[in-house]
Amino acid sequence: MTNIILGDCLIELKSIKSDSVDLVIADPPYNVGKNYGNNSDNLDFDEYIQFTKNWLTECHRMLKTDGTIYVFVGFRYISYLYQILEKELGLNFINWISWHYTQGIGKTKGFSPRHDDILMFSKSTNYKFNLDAIRIPQKFYRKVNNMRGANPGDVWEISHIHYCQKGRQPHPTQKPEALIERMVLASSNEGDLVVDPFSGSGTTLRVCQQLNRNAIGIELNKEYVEQTKERLNCSFEGFDSIDERMLRVPNDLNDAEIRKEYIQNHVTWFLKNHPDRINTFLNDVKTKYSEKNKGTQFELFFRD
């Protein structure tokens, strides 16, 4: 079940039952004057802080005991939001994630911003975290390593969705699906309920739809609601972005049988939601291990 609701989140969140939500992913307005069509995020400081307290209080109420919340936040307000989450609502701090993107706003005075902050909190210390679902490939093949992959860490380098890119929606702050994919896989299971109070371009709903989660999105702008409905009806060809480390080919895969087994596992472990990237990965393997593959069954694997 994936449901997009037209309305004000301060009103609509109240209709969601207490202790019923497994995961909240929130990308609220940063209060920097962005134009979202029929409203602009340009509140007075105190108004914005009170608005933030109000919607976070509702999210706290509806989260299950083992539930988690991720909040995208602008740098100007991050210390205040942290205070609300930890001190006022009593949530459990997990991570301060930095989303590093390759392009950003240019500045002539001061350093140009190249990252967004994402705060990750849970309702208790007993929270879901599916590490195997979000691992990234190891740099080297070592028997002592977990070849299912490594923890991706708290710095996520994923490109913006550029305006010329297929799948780009007419929304000023559309987030890459790979960002939301990691959150959903890490902090929920299939069939769980995910809520996005500021649905925007519908990225969270689209990701949940493909990962077999139930999802509710709330959006104030009618145009974005209609665009989200269209997006949810599109055929799936793979998420619109990826952590490029998912394409990493481990060094020292010298044994032909181990190499063949690992490459097949790699596709299943890391690229099942990114079918459009599989050929790129296999070509990189072929290039890297071309000499070692000659005359082996693995060479036939590439001919199939």
Side-chain angles (χ1 to χ4, degrees):
M1 180 273 293
T2 306
N3 187 24
I4 178 70
I5 299 171
L6 174 63
D8 185 334
C9 72
L10 294 181
I11 297 171
E12 301 300 334
L13 287 174
K14 294 181 184 299
S15 66
I16 299 175
K17 291 195 305 183
S18 299
D19 305 310
S20 66
V21 175
D22 299 280
L23 173 62
V24 173
I25 298 176
D27 184 16
Y30 288 3
N31 206 38
V32 292
K34 284 269 187 188
N35 187 345
Y36 291 96
N38 63 356
N39 65 306
S40 183
D41 64 327
N42 194 22
L43 299 175
D44 291 338
F45 181 87
D46 289 339
E47 286 182 298
Y48 183 74
I49 296 300
Q50 188 59 53
F51 165 73
T52 301
K53 287 181 182 180
N54 290 345
W55 71 259
L56 282 174
T57 298
E58 287 302 317
C59 290
H60 176 269
R61 175 192 60 77
M62 67 189 189
L63 269 179
K64 292 180 180 177
T65 303
D66 61 352
T68 301
I69 180 170
Y70 293 81
V71 185
F72 290 82
V73 57
F75 61 87
R76 181 182 175 191
Y77 293 96
I78 193 165
S79 60
Y80 302 98
L81 194 142
Y82 191 106
Q83 174 85 5
I84 295 168
L85 288 165
E86 185 173 64
K87 296 300 183 183
E88 297 188 28
L89 296 178
L91 290 166
N92 173 62
F93 171 72
I94 305 173
N95 279 114
W96 185 321
I97 298 161
S98 291
W99 168 34
H100 171 59
Y101 38 80
T102 52
Q103 296 182 3
I105 300 170
K107 295 180 68 174
T108 56
K109 277 195 171 183
F111 298 103
S112 296
R114 290 292 182 270
H115 82 281
D116 272 9
D117 296 296
I118 306 166
L119 292 180
M120 178 185 181
F121 279 76
S122 59
K123 197 165 185 178
S124 72
T125 56
N126 179 32
Y127 56 89
K128 296 174 185 173
F129 190 73
N130 304 315
L131 178 57
D132 281 350
I134 57 161
R135 291 182 185 273
I136 60 170
Q138 300 280 6
K139 291 182 180 179
F140 292 88
Y141 175 79
R142 297 285 188 270
K143 288 185 178 180
V144 296
N145 288 351
N146 181 341
M147 289 316 296
R148 181 61 180 81
N151 189 309
D154 60 3
V155 178
W156 301 355
E157 188 167 334
I158 298 170
S159 178
H160 274 304
I161 304 302
H162 301 293
Y163 284 96
C164 60
Q165 191 170 333
K166 181 181 178 181
R168 173 73 199 202
Q169 305 293 311
H171 187 280
T173 61
Q174 180 178 346
K175 296 301 186 288
E177 289 171 354
L179 277 180
I180 308 303
E181 175 193 16
R182 182 168 288 164
M183 297 173 188
V184 171
L185 288 174
S187 299
S188 69
N189 299 324
E190 289 193 6
D192 280 356
L193 177 58
V194 181
V195 171
D196 183 345
F198 307 94
S199 185
S201 63
T203 300
T204 297
L205 297 186
R206 179 59 166 169
V207 170
C208 287
Q209 178 191 56
Q210 299 305 318
L211 297 180
N212 299 316
R213 271 67 171 177
N214 297 308
I216 298 172
I218 302 168
E219 174 53 46
L220 192 60
N221 187 312
K222 184 177 181 179
E223 289 185 16
Y224 296 152
V225 169
E226 295 305 314
Q227 290 162 11
T228 295
K229 290 177 181 178
E230 291 180 12
R231 186 176 182 183
L232 293 173
N233 285 326
C234 291
S235 59
F236 181 67
E237 299 175 358
F239 288 137
D240 61 18
S241 53
I242 192 171
D243 182 331
E244 293 296 326
R245 293 175 296 176
M246 295 299 207
L247 301 173
R248 178 189 285 163
V249 181
N251 296 313
D252 297 342
L253 279 169
N254 297 319
D255 182 280
E257 288 303 314
I258 291 177
R259 188 161 63 248
K260 180 177 180 180
E261 179 185 3
Y262 172 77
I263 298 308
Q264 290 172 323
N265 284 335
H266 185 114
V267 171
T268 301
W269 291 338
F270 306 115
L271 302 176
K272 67 179 180 180
N273 299 317
H274 304 270
D276 55 324
R277 301 300 188 103
I278 293 174
N279 283 338
T280 299
F281 169 72
L282 292 178
N283 285 332
D284 288 346
V285 174
K286 190 174 183 179
T287 300
K288 190 165 192 170
Y289 289 103
S290 58
E291 290 301 316
K292 289 183 170 62
N293 290 334
K294 285 182 178 178
T296 68
Q297 289 184 341
F298 195 56
E299 185 178 26
L300 298 177
F301 172 70
F302 282 105
R303 293 178 183 173
D304 295 338

